[in-house]
Amino acid sequence: MVDVEAVKRGNPITEVVSRHGVELRGRGERLTGRCPFHADGEPSFTVYPATRSFYCFGCGAGGDVIDFVRRTEGLGFREALKDIGDRSVYQAIGKVLAKHTLAGRSE
């Protein structure tokens, strides 16, 4: 069984949104950028790191990291959860391998 909240906590929404090509800029306790879900002339897409959520004031899209992946990738809930989880595992493995490689070079 997958711990959905653990997947959400382990995948900061700011990182996932940025990985999908949205350039975020800081504005106090929130970040803004151009919405990936509609033609956005002005940055109306807002990410709230403290609540791990997003909302677009232009098109009304909103939700958490899983909702964001569902919308951008066109996936169902389970598929989005698996996609997020798989990327986390691969990133963790990559970090371990990079550390190991760097440690091996210094010897």
Side-chain angles (χ1 to χ4, degrees), residues 28-69:
E29 294 183 13
R30 63 183 181 256
L31 301 164
T32 60
R34 295 183 190 267
C35 183
F37 307 123
H38 74 280
D40 202 1
E42 295 290 323
S44 60
F45 185 80
T46 306
V47 175
Y48 303 94
T51 59
R52 300 188 318 257
S53 63
F54 72 93
Y55 183 76
C56 177
F57 290 92
C59 70
D64 60 23
V65 69
I66 296 170
D67 296 317
F68 181 82
V69 171

Side-chain angles (χ1 to χ4, degrees), residues 1-8 11 65-66 69-70 75-88:
M1 179 156 226
V2 176
D3 183 346
V4 175
E5 288 304 314
V7 171
K8 290 179 189 180
N11 292 278
V65 69
I66 296 170
V69 171
R70 288 181 71 186
L75 301 173
F77 180 82
R78 288 183 186 199
E79 293 84 7
L81 192 60
K82 182 178 182 326
D83 181 72
I84 294 168
D86 287 349
R87 288 178 194 246
S88 294

Side-chain angles (χ1 to χ4, degrees), residues 4-20:
V4 175
E5 288 304 314
V7 171
K8 290 179 189 180
R9 281 190 309 274
N11 292 278
I13 193 161
T14 53
E15 291 178 19
V16 174
V17 168
S18 294
R19 190 169 60 227
H20 281 84

